[in-house]
Amino acid sequence: MVKRSKKYREAAEKVDSNNLYTANEAIALLKSMPEYNFDQTVEAVLRLNVDPRKADQLVRGSVNLPNGTGKTAKVLVFARGPKATEALEAGADIVGDDDLVEKVAGGFLDGLVGVVLRAVRVAAGAAVETVLGPRGLMPNPKTGTVTMDVTKAVKDIKGGKIEFRVDKNGNLSFLIGKLSFTEQALEENFKAIADEVKRLKPSTVKGRYLTKATITSTMNPGVPVDPNSLAVINA
C-alpha cells in the first residue's frame, strides 16, 4: 500500500466518499485543500459508455479552453518556404521540413505540447507516427493540425487548445487549468470540454453516455462528480 503524505490524508478527509458533487462544488473543494509551494495542475477524467474498439465509437477531438491551460504550449511545425515563415510569425517554437522529420523520427520531442503538419507534407506523417502517436501528438485533420492554415493552428494551440482521445477503457482525460485559476475560470473550461464531448456522442451509443466523472489536482485526491449534474453530456 502506498504511504500517503499528511497533506494528502488531510485532503482526502475532506472528500465524502458517499457523496457525488457538482463540478462547481468539486472545484471549490479542491481549492480548499492544503496548499503546496507550486501551482498544481487541475484535471478532469470522464468515463464514457463507448467501445473504443469500434471505429464509430472512438471519441476524439479538440477543444479551445476559454481560459487557457495555464501552461505555455511549445509547438512544432513541419513546413517549408513561405509556410515555415508563416509558422514562425504565428509563434511556433520549432519549424522544419525533412531535417526535422528525421530528428523527430529519431525520438526528438523536447517538451512539445502541439504539433502541426502542413497538408502537402502528409508523407512526413508516416515517418514520425511511431514517435508522436503514442504521446497523443500525431497531427490529424479532425483536430485541425493537418492544415494549410498554419497560423490558425499554431495560435489555437498557443491559446489553450487541447486534444483528446478516449483510451481503451473508455476514459477521457483533460487538463482544465491551474489551481490558481478562479473557480469560475475552471468551471468554464470544464463546461467547454463537456459541451464538446456531448457534441461528439456517437449515434450508436445507447443509454447513458457518461458514467463517471472526477476532478482532481496534482497532489490531491480526486473528487467524484455526479454524472446527473452534467445532464448536458447525457442528453
Side-chain angles (χ1 to χ4, degrees), residues 16 41 74 81 92 94 108 134-136 182 187 200 209 230 233 235:
D16 182 352
T41 295
K74 191 170 185 178
I94 305 171
F108 170 78
R135 295 167 175 80
T182 64
E187 189 173 15
L200 295 172
Y209 179 37
L230 302 175
I233 298 181

Side-chain angles (χ1 to χ4, degrees), residues 20-21 47 208 210-213 224-234:
L20 293 175
Y21 300 82
R47 171 71 64 83
R208 183 181 292 277
L210 173 68
T211 61
K212 188 176 181 181
V225 176
D226 183 2
N228 292 322
S229 72
L230 302 175
V232 63
I233 298 181
N234 289 318

Side-chain angles (χ1 to χ4, degrees), residues 83 86-87 89-90 147-157:
K83 286 295 179 181
E86 180 184 336
E89 291 177 348
T147 178
M148 290 298 290
D149 193 346
V150 173
T151 295
K152 181 179 185 303
V154 172
K155 289 187 174 180
D156 279 350
I157 296 172

Side-chain angles (χ1 to χ4, degrees), residues 12-132:
E13 289 176 358
K14 290 176 172 284
V15 182
D16 182 352
S17 59
N18 296 315
N19 184 42
L20 293 175
Y21 300 82
T22 65
N24 181 267
E25 290 171 339
I27 291 167
L29 186 55
L30 279 178
K31 291 179 75 67
S32 75
M33 291 178 179
E35 297 181 357
Y36 289 81
N37 60 358
F38 69 98
D39 195 3
Q40 297 180 62
T41 295
V42 181
E43 297 182 335
V45 179
L46 304 180
R47 171 71 64 83
L48 303 182
N49 176 31
V50 298
D51 184 351
R53 295 172 300 179
K54 298 179 180 178
D56 60 353
Q57 293 190 21
L58 184 61
V59 178
R60 69 177 300 173
S62 62
V63 60
N64 289 305
L65 299 183
N67 300 294
T69 64
K71 291 185 176 182
T72 301
K74 191 170 185 178
V75 183
L76 177 151
V77 179
F78 295 105
R80 67 171 67 178
K83 286 295 179 181
T85 301
E86 180 184 336
L88 288 170
E89 291 177 348
D93 299 277
I94 305 171
V95 180
D97 194 51
D98 292 338
D99 58 328
L100 188 55
V101 169
E102 186 176 341
K103 286 181 67 175
V104 172
F108 170 78
L109 288 177
D110 196 26
L112 297 174
V113 173
V115 179
V116 178
L117 183 65
R118 187 162 69 98
V120 295
R121 289 289 299 148
V122 172
V128 299
E129 185 171 9
T130 56
V131 175
L132 299 178

Side-chain angles (χ1 to χ4, degrees), residues 118-209:
R118 187 162 69 98
V120 295
R121 289 289 299 148
V122 172
V128 299
E129 185 171 9
T130 56
V131 175
L132 299 178
R135 295 167 175 80
L137 292 173
M138 189 61 195
N140 187 291
K142 293 182 178 179
T143 60
T145 48
V146 175
T147 178
M148 290 298 290
D149 193 346
V150 173
T151 295
K152 181 179 185 303
V154 172
K155 289 187 174 180
D156 279 350
I157 296 172
K158 288 283 188 178
K161 179 179 180 180
I162 59 171
E163 297 182 13
F164 56 87
R165 174 174 175 161
V166 68
D167 67 19
K168 64 180 181 180
N169 296 313
N171 296 316
L172 284 173
S173 298
F174 305 89
L175 168 67
I176 64 172
K178 292 289 189 175
L179 202 55
S180 61
F181 283 20
T182 64
E183 292 178 25
Q184 180 179 346
L186 288 170
E187 189 173 15
E188 287 174 352
N189 280 355
F190 184 77
K191 183 180 184 300
I193 290 168
D195 288 346
E196 182 61 13
V197 171
K198 177 202 171 185
R199 190 184 72 80
L200 295 172
K201 179 181 178 180
S203 60
T204 53
V205 172
K206 306 302 179 184
R208 183 181 292 277
Y209 179 37

